[in-house]
Amino acid sequence: MDYATMYRQAMADGSTDYAHTIVVSATQAAEAGGVSPEELRDLVNEIKAHEEG
């Protein structure tokens, strides 16, 4: 699953609640070992870019 792309689209749509849900889902998937470090890095970078943006 491409969490960074999903997050970017949710924020572009103004769906901040959905964006939060995506972050929670990615965190849970990471804890279960279902997300690669690269995927997490991409999501974190996307969140940072939005906060700075």
Side-chain angles (χ1 to χ4, degrees):
M1 206 174 262
D2 188 349
Y3 291 105
T5 299
M6 291 171 37
Y7 179 86
R8 183 181 320 113
Q9 186 61 51
M11 293 306 289
D13 293 343
S15 301
T16 55
D17 288 342
Y18 183 54
H20 175 75
T21 299
I22 292 165
V23 172
V24 171
S25 294
T27 302
Q28 291 172 340
E31 289 171 349
V35 177
S36 72
E38 293 81 13
E39 289 174 295
L40 284 180
R41 181 200 62 225
D42 292 346
L43 177 58
V44 168
N45 288 340
E46 191 64 40
I47 293 167
K48 286 180 179 179
H50 178 75
E51 288 176 351
E52 294 170 359

